[in-house]
């Protein structure tokens, strides 16, 4: 192996600094300037949502969703254990109890058939996390929520440009949270957005995002005073971040297509290893369109994974795993509870391996990653 292959390498379109210089020249540096407005419009068109609001992270967007959902101490919020900590933290910060439900063995998304059993009189919301940019079974989830009067929040941190039954991820539940973190598909370092899909929450969302004030309405001339109206925080990004993000949004289609090309190379080249029973490849249901956020494989055991990561590293290739299930983590044990035995979560979190995937990864580099995995797993001997 001549060239090292990192796990991720952030893609730049080349226009980021030009737009940042433009924002700098215009001297409009605080949030909600012209670039933020361009990003809002793009997101509203792209996701067909009522209102999109940039935030400084997906974590912040989830925290806003928890406030908008009026989550109170002691309320319960259903979510997968196989997710990033922010999914749970946003609700724990409001005093809620995360109730962890197992995932499906195919898409690794929350198992919708196990949600009803987790519902109690205290349940207020369901959080659907679209793992790897593959949509959760949103129609059944929305039906369950409707019949119990629950709100649905989509953690679509990994979901930009992906759809479920033709609907953009993040636009189906009451709220959707997107991430533009450096490791995601469309990036600005640290960034995110809240999609407010139910218009009745739009006004309050603006207020919560602007420190609990009606500043946005005031600047639109809809109110004659600018005052403290509600709880809130500073959830908006500065204009320079929005300028960076705008360059990425302009190329969102190209970025997604480049990722999909690499994803397809992995997927085709791993057919043989899967047919030998040595790995399981990702499942993308026919009614979903993914965005190639991630390429992962499931190997037979934790021992296989540990030795494969070491072997890849010897070849200059960085491959990583996640998540440590939340239900058994120190904070998860303190603040949450598990519904059922979570056997898929426990088993899969030991066996999942994420491979390098970024727009500038060369096809022959992806092929060489496959070759190392193939060789190692075919000759794997337990020690
Ligand atoms: C990345 C990620 C987040 C957090 O996004 P930030 O923008 O870094 O706050 C939340 N949930 C999931 C599922 C993620 O993948």
């Amino acid at each position: 192996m001549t060239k090292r292959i990192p796990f991720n390498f952030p893609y730049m379109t080349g226009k980021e600094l030009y737009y940042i210089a433009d924002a700098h020249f215009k001297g409009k540096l605080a949030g909600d300037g012209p670039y933020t407005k361009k990003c809002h419009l793009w997101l509203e068109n792209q996701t067909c949502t009522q209102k999109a609001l940039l935030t400084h992270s997906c974590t912040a967007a989830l925290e806003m969703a928890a406030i908008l959902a009026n989550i109170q101490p002691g309320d319960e919020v259903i979510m997968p254990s196989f997710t990033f900590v922010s999914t749970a933290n946003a609700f724990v910060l409001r005093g809620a109890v995360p109730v962890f439900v197992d995932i499906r063995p195919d898409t690794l998304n929350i198992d919708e058939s196990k949600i009803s059993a987790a519902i109690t009189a205290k349940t207020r919301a369901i959080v659907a996390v679209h793992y790897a940019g593959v949509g959760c079974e949103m129609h059944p989830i929305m039906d369950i929520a409707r019949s119990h009067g629950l709100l649905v929040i989509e953690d679509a941190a990994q979901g930009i440009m992906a759809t479920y039954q033709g609907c953009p991820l993040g636009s189906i539940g009451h709220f959707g949270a997107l991430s533009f973190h450096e490791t995601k598909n469309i990036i600005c370092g640290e960034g995110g957005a809240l999609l407010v899909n139910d218009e009745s929450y739009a006004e309050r969302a603006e207020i919560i995002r602007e420190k609990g004030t009606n500043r946005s309405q005031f600047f639109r001339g809809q109110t004659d005073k600018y005052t403290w109206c509600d709880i809130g925080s500073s959830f908006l990004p500065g204009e320079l971040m929005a300028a960076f993000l705008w360059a990425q949004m302009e190329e969102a289609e190209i970025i997604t297509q480049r990722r999909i090309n690499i994803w397809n190379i992995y997927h085709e080249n791993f057919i043989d290893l899967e047919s030998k029973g040595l790995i399981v490849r990702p499942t993308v249901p026919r009614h979903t369109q993914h965005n190639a956020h991630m390429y992962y494989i499931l190997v037979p055991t934790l021992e296989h994974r540990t030795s494969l990561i070491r072997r890849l590293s010897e070849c200059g290739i960085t491959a990583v795993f996640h998540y440590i299930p939340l239900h058994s983590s120190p904070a998860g044990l303190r603040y949450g509870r598990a519904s059922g035995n979570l056997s898929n979560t426990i088993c899969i979190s030991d066996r999942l391996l994420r491979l390098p995937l970024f727009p500038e990864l060369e096809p022959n580099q992806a092929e060489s990653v496959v070759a190392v995995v193939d060789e190692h797993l075919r000759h794997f001997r337990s020690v």
Side-chain angles (χ1 to χ4, degrees):
M1 187 92 22
T2 47
K3 208 165 135 203
R4 294 189 62 82
I5 304 179
F7 174 68
N8 183 43
F9 185 79
Y11 175 77
M12 312 282 177
T13 70
K15 287 202 190 149
E16 286 84 356
L17 289 181
Y18 171 78
Y19 290 140
I20 285 179
D22 181 52
H24 170 264
F25 175 76
K26 289 183 173 130
K28 179 81 189 66
L29 303 181
D32 282 339
Y35 281 102
T36 302
K37 294 202 169 79
K38 276 161 129 40
C39 293
H40 285 172
L41 268 178
W42 185 89
L43 282 168
E44 284 161 9
N45 286 325
Q46 174 61 38
T47 66
C48 314
T49 189
Q50 292 297 321
K51 190 155 199 71
L53 293 167
L54 288 193
T55 56
H56 50 71
S57 60
C58 177
T59 301
L62 289 165
E63 288 173 16
M64 283 183 66
I67 296 172
L68 283 164
N70 206 20
I71 300 296
Q72 300 295 317
D75 288 351
E76 293 181 351
V77 179
I78 293 171
M79 63 185 70
S81 169
F82 188 70
T83 182
F84 187 59
V85 296
S86 297
T87 316
N89 253 330
F91 299 92
V92 171
L93 280 167
R94 314 249 38 95
V97 178
V99 175
F100 300 113
V101 169
D102 207 2
I103 50 174
R104 298 169 56 109
D106 53 1
T107 58
L108 318 191
N109 283 329
I110 191 165
D111 186 340
E112 67 284 358
S113 73
K114 293 181 180 158
I115 292 176
S116 293
I119 295 175
T120 72
K122 293 179 180 166
T123 308
R124 292 289 167 268
I126 302 168
V127 189
V129 181
H130 303 297
Y131 185 68
V134 176
C136 295
E137 288 306 323
M138 289 309 293
H139 287 343
I141 291 172
M142 295 307 289
D143 287 343
I144 295 165
R146 215 170 288 119
S147 67
H148 291 87
L150 308 176
L151 291 174
V152 174
I153 295 117
E154 296 178 71
D155 181 339
Q158 305 174 9
I160 188 99
M161 307 295 283
T163 61
Y164 167 80
Q165 303 216 348
C167 303
L169 301 188
S171 72
I172 306 161
H174 297 84
F175 309 112
L178 302 174
S179 176
F180 306 119
H181 185 265
E182 178 185 315
T183 53
K184 302 303 201 291
N185 288 20
I186 306 299
I187 62 173
C188 66
E190 302 279 353
L194 179 71
L195 306 182
V196 183
N197 304 321
D198 179 333
E199 189 134 42
S200 65
Y201 293 95
E203 191 175 304
R204 189 167 185 229
E206 282 187 335
I207 291 171
I208 290 166
R209 178 168 166 273
E210 268 284 14
K211 302 98 181 163
T213 71
N214 57 355
R215 189 169 185 274
S216 300
Q217 292 165 357
F218 177 71
F219 278 107
R220 285 197 299 263
Q222 290 166 340
T223 172
D224 58 359
K225 48 186 189 308
Y226 163 27
T227 185
W228 186 26
C229 305
D230 201 335
I231 61 166
S233 188
S234 183
F235 287 117
L236 71 171
E239 189 65 358
L240 299 187
M241 283 297 103
F244 189 112
L245 185 59
W246 175 245
Q248 296 261 322
M249 285 179 170
E250 282 189 319
E251 289 201 12
E253 303 272 357
I254 297 166
I255 293 169
T256 307
Q257 194 52 53
R258 290 179 80 155
R259 297 185 76 100
I260 287 175
N261 293 346
I262 299 149
W263 196 98
N264 288 340
I265 291 172
Y266 278 132
H267 210 56
E268 280 155 30
N269 283 276
F270 275 131
I271 290 176
D272 198 35
L273 212 49
E274 185 178 62
S275 70
K276 296 211 159 44
L278 292 170
I279 61 163
V280 176
R281 297 180 305 155
T283 301
V284 181
R286 292 261 292 278
H287 54 279
T288 67
Q289 172 59 56
H290 74 111
N291 59 3
H293 173 60
M294 193 189 302
Y295 198 88
Y296 66 83
I297 53 172
L298 298 175
V299 297
T301 67
L302 176 59
E303 197 190 359
H304 286 81
R305 183 174 75 183
T306 308
S307 94
L308 181 53
I309 290 174
R310 197 181 312 121
R311 177 70 196 131
L312 285 163
S313 165
E314 285 165 9
C315 298
I317 300 164
T318 307
V320 301
F321 63 84
H322 73 178
Y323 297 105
I324 308 290
L326 297 185
H327 74 280
S328 53
S329 67
L333 291 168
R334 193 172 330 136
Y335 298 114
R337 82 176 156 78
S339 174
N341 64 17
L342 307 194
S343 56
N344 292 332
T345 301
I346 294 163
C347 168
I348 282 162
S349 64
D350 274 351
R351 297 168 46 216
L352 184 134
L353 184 66
R354 304 165 65 194
L355 301 177
L357 201 171
F358 48 88
E360 286 161 308
L361 188 72
E362 303 284 343
N364 66 354
Q365 290 182 303
E367 282 159 12
S368 65
V369 173
V370 174
V372 176
V373 172
D374 195 283
E375 165 79 16
H376 192 72
L377 291 180
R378 276 176 210 267
H379 302 109
F380 182 79
R381 292 274 176 281
S382 184
V383 285

